[in-house]
Amino acid sequence: MENIIWNKEIECADRATIKALQLERLKKIVKYCYERVPFYTKKFDETGLKPEDIKTLEDVRKLPFTTADDLRNNYPFGLFATDNKDIVRVHGSSGTTGKPKIVGYTKNDLNNWTECLTRMICAAGVTPEDVVQISFGYGLFTGGFGLHYGMENLGAMVIPLSSGNTERQLMIMQDFGTTVLIATPSYALYLGDEIEKRGLKDKLKLRLALFGGEGHTEEMRAKIEKQLGIIATENYGLSELGGPGMSGECYIKNGMHIAEDHFLPEIIDPETLEPVPMGEKGELVVTALTKEGFPMLRYRTRDITWLDDSPCPCGRTSMRMGKIQGRSDDMLVIRGVNVYPSQIESVVMAIDEIEPFYEIVVTNEGYMDRIEVRMEFSDADLLDDYEKLDALKSRIRHDLKATLNIDAKVSLVSPGTLPRFEGKGKRVVDKREVKK
Ligand code: DLL
C-alpha cells in the first residue's frame, strides 16, 4: 500500500531545522501570550519574567505551567487571546459532568489543525482512495470534527456517522464498503464483537483503523486487529491542545510521531516538576507553538509517557512519544498499592475463556479498600459447570495477584452483560467515599 508523507519538508526535516523553527515560534508565542492574555501577563509579572528572557529552547522551563484548574477558573473564554469575533469554532473536553474545558480556534488554528491531522492519517496509511467511517462523536468532543477535516483535506471519502447506533454503523460499513474505521478502541471492541457474532467479517472491506481518545493495552489492540482483520494505529491529543493531531503512530507502530512544528513537548517528574532524561517516563507537558485563539504555555497533561528521538524506519524524523501509561489521576490506590486499570486489562486479555469486556469496582468496607474485577466468560455452558467456573476464577485471581500484588475479588458474569461503550470506555466504578 502506498504510504504518503504529507509534508516531507517538515516531517523529514533534520533536527537542527526543527529546533530552530521551534525556537523562533516559542519566542513569538511567549510574547503573544504575555501581551494578549491577562492570565499570562499576571503570571509573568509576578515572577519578573519577560518574553525576552526566552533565548533558547531550554528556556521554556522558565515559563509558568498551565493546569486544568486554570482552564476551569477562566471558564469559558478567559484564556482566549483574540476577540470572540475572530474565533470561528469552539470545542471542549469530553467529560460528562461539571463544566467542560472550552477551547477556541481562529481560522488559522483550524487550518493548522487540519494540516496536523492530514499528516497523521497519512502516517497511518490512509490514502485518497479510502472510504472512511468516522465513528468518533461529533460535537464539543474534538475527535469527530478533527478527523473529518483531515480526511477531507487528504481527499478520502468521509462518512460522518458519529458514534452510536451500532446497527446503522454495521449496515453502512457493509453497504458503502468502508475501508477505514475511526473510533475509540472501546467502541471498536464493541463493533468487532458484533461483527464476529453476526459473521460479517467477510462481507467487509475494512483494512485499517485509527484509534484515539483513550488508551488500550497492546493485547487489546491485537485482539481487535485480529477480530476485524485490520491494522490499527494509536493517536493522541487533548482538547486543551486542540484535540487529535498532536501525535499519532505511523504504520510501523513504534511510538506516536509528534507534530513538533506546532507542539513543544517536555517530560517532567510530576513530584519535583524537574525535567527527566530522554527516554524516561514522566508527565507530558506541552507548549502549543502556533495557536492564536487559545494559546497554551506548558500545559500539564497529567498523562504519563516518554519521548523517543531515535530514527523511525518510516523516514519521518519527528520525536515520538510512547504509549500513555495512564494518567497520574487514573491511578487507583488500593490498600496503599498503586493499581493502573491497564494492568488489569493485560490480565483480562491474556485469558482465553474470558471476553475482553471488564469492569473494576472499588469499594470501602470499614477502613479496608476492596477491588472487584467483573468479567464475562465466553462459553455460556460454563454456567452449568461450577467446578470449571471455580477453577477459572481461582486462576484469574492468581494472575491478578501476581500482576497487582494485591488480592482482588473475581466475579464472572454471563456473556453480553457488562456495559459496552460507544465513545470512551468507563471501566472503573469507584464507590469509595474517600477516594485515594
Ligand atoms: O480525547 C482528543 C482526541 C480525540 C485524541 C480523538 C485522539 C483521538 P479529550 O476528550 O480532551 O481529547 O481527552 C484528552 O484523553 O489527556 C488522555 O488522558 C486521553 N487520551 C487521548 N488519546 C489517548 C491515547 C481527546 N491515544 C485525554 N492514549 C488525554 C491514552 C489518550 N489516552
Side-chain angles (χ1 to χ4, degrees):
M1 185 65 64
E2 176 195 12
N3 190 255
I4 308 166
I5 298 185
W6 181 255
N7 188 337
K8 265 206 175 116
E9 202 185 321
I10 290 289
E11 291 178 87
C12 302
D14 58 70
R15 300 297 309 155
T17 306
I18 286 295
K19 286 191 166 174
L21 182 61
Q22 285 182 320
L23 180 58
E24 180 194 318
R25 290 183 170 178
L26 178 66
K27 286 179 178 170
K28 203 167 148 199
I29 201 74
V30 166
K31 186 161 184 283
Y32 181 83
C33 287
Y34 181 67
E35 286 170 358
R36 289 190 174 232
V37 186
F39 165 83
Y40 285 120
T41 317
K42 186 162 171 272
K43 281 219 167 191
F44 277 46
D45 286 349
E46 272 166 11
T47 59
L49 183 69
K50 294 271 172 273
E52 309 78 76
D53 296 335
I54 305 301
K55 297 192 173 77
T56 67
L57 274 183
E58 287 66 39
D59 286 340
V60 72
R61 292 177 204 147
K62 294 181 178 164
L63 299 173
F65 290 111
T66 311
T67 65
D69 279 343
D70 295 327
L71 266 78
R72 278 189 210 103
N73 296 337
N74 289 283
Y75 172 87
F77 306 142
L79 296 182
F80 286 11
T82 54
D83 284 345
N84 279 0
K85 74 171 175 34
D86 296 320
I87 299 287
V88 294
R89 176 99 66 81
V90 289
H91 278 291
S93 59
S94 49
T96 46
T97 53
K99 305 261 194 205
K101 287 171 235 155
I102 293 297
V103 304
Y105 305 69
T106 63
K107 276 193 183 163
N108 275 339
D109 292 335
L110 286 186
N111 290 340
N112 285 335
W113 193 22
T114 297
E115 160 74 19
C116 289
L117 275 150
T118 316
R119 291 183 202 167
M120 189 180 98
I121 60 191
C122 288
V126 182
T127 74
E129 281 82 54
D130 276 305
V131 179
V132 182
Q133 185 157 333
I134 300 191
S135 307
F136 276 153
Y138 281 66
L140 275 189
F141 178 54
T142 49
F145 280 100
L147 269 295
H148 182 108
Y149 284 95
M151 290 293 178
E152 278 190 357
N153 193 35
L154 173 64
M157 183 200 281
V158 178
I159 317 170
L161 261 188
S162 198
S163 58
N165 201 340
T166 301
E167 286 301 325
R168 202 175 161 81
Q169 300 272 355
L170 296 177
M171 178 185 81
I172 284 181
M173 207 178 269
Q174 294 173 74
D175 295 350
F176 294 11
T178 300
T179 56
V180 179
L181 173 68
I182 310 292
T184 59
S186 290
Y187 195 37
L189 182 70
Y190 178 11
L191 287 170
D193 194 48
E194 287 299 317
I195 287 166
E196 196 167 84
K197 271 198 220 141
R198 300 175 195 206
L200 296 179
K201 190 172 162 187
D202 293 340
K203 298 193 180 126
L204 302 178
K205 295 210 174 100
L206 275 185
R207 64 175 193 88
L208 186 64
L210 271 75
F211 291 161
E214 63 177 359
H216 56 69
T217 54
E218 283 307 327
E219 294 89 338
M220 174 81 86
R221 164 159 47 190
K223 163 103 193 171
I224 304 172
E225 285 184 328
K226 192 162 161 230
Q227 210 165 33
L228 293 174
I230 54 167
I231 72 157
T233 65
E234 168 149 27
N235 301 281
Y236 171 84
L238 55 163
S239 321
E240 298 89 311
L241 293 160
M246 200 199 114
S247 69
E249 282 177 336
C250 64
Y251 59 96
I252 293 172
K253 302 194 282 193
N254 60 351
M256 296 182 272
H257 290 272
I258 300 171
E260 283 181 282
D261 50 332
H262 295 283
F263 300 98
L264 179 64
E266 298 168 74
I267 303 286
I268 61 161
D269 177 326
E271 303 293 325
T272 64
L273 307 183
E274 290 301 319
V276 305
M278 176 63 66
E280 262 179 40
K281 282 180 196 157
E283 181 182 330
L284 176 69
V285 170
V286 183
T287 298
L289 295 172
T290 51
K291 285 200 195 314
E292 291 177 344
F294 184 74
M296 193 43 66
L297 301 182
R298 294 195 94 197
Y299 186 67
R300 288 193 60 182
T301 65
R302 303 276 167 195
D303 292 319
I304 307 294
T305 183
W306 69 96
L307 296 178
D308 180 355
D309 61 357
S310 67
C312 179
C314 76
R316 291 174 184 79
T317 50
S318 38
M319 181 97 75
R320 304 192 299 286
M321 56 182 263
K323 186 166 195 46
I324 301 293
Q325 302 294 293
R327 290 178 57 79
S328 49
D329 43 13
D330 239 13
M331 187 182 76
L332 296 162
V333 183
I334 311 287
R335 303 196 288 276
V337 178
N338 298 348
V339 174
Y340 281 103
S342 57
Q343 294 175 294
I344 296 178
E345 184 172 302
S346 294
V347 174
V348 172
M349 299 305 299
I351 297 170
D352 284 343
E353 297 92 325
I354 292 293
E355 293 290 302
F357 304 97
Y358 64 95
E359 187 172 65
I360 302 164
V361 184
V362 189
T363 49
N364 222 195
E365 284 167 30
Y367 288 109
M368 194 71 160
D369 298 329
R370 297 207 181 272
I371 183 161
E372 175 190 356
V373 186
R374 309 182 72 218
M375 304 166 218
E376 291 178 0
F377 48 85
S378 317
D379 178 4
D381 290 346
L382 262 188
L383 258 188
D384 302 325
D385 193 337
Y386 283 114
E387 237 171 70
K388 260 198 182 158
L389 203 60
D390 248 13
L392 179 59
K393 256 191 195 176
S394 309
R395 178 147 63 88
I396 301 173
R397 195 164 158 194
H398 170 272
D399 289 357
L400 283 171
K401 181 142 197 195
T403 305
L404 307 178
N405 282 322
I406 51 162
D407 209 16
K409 180 177 172 195
V410 172
S411 301
L412 294 179
V413 300
S414 299
T417 50
L418 289 177
R420 282 9 183 197
F421 301 99
E422 293 170 346
K424 302 192 189 204
K426 286 184 195 66
R427 297 195 177 84
V428 179
V429 184
D430 197 339
K431 296 182 173 167
R432 289 175 296 183
E433 266 164 33
V434 183
K435 311 221 187 325
K436 294 171 200 166

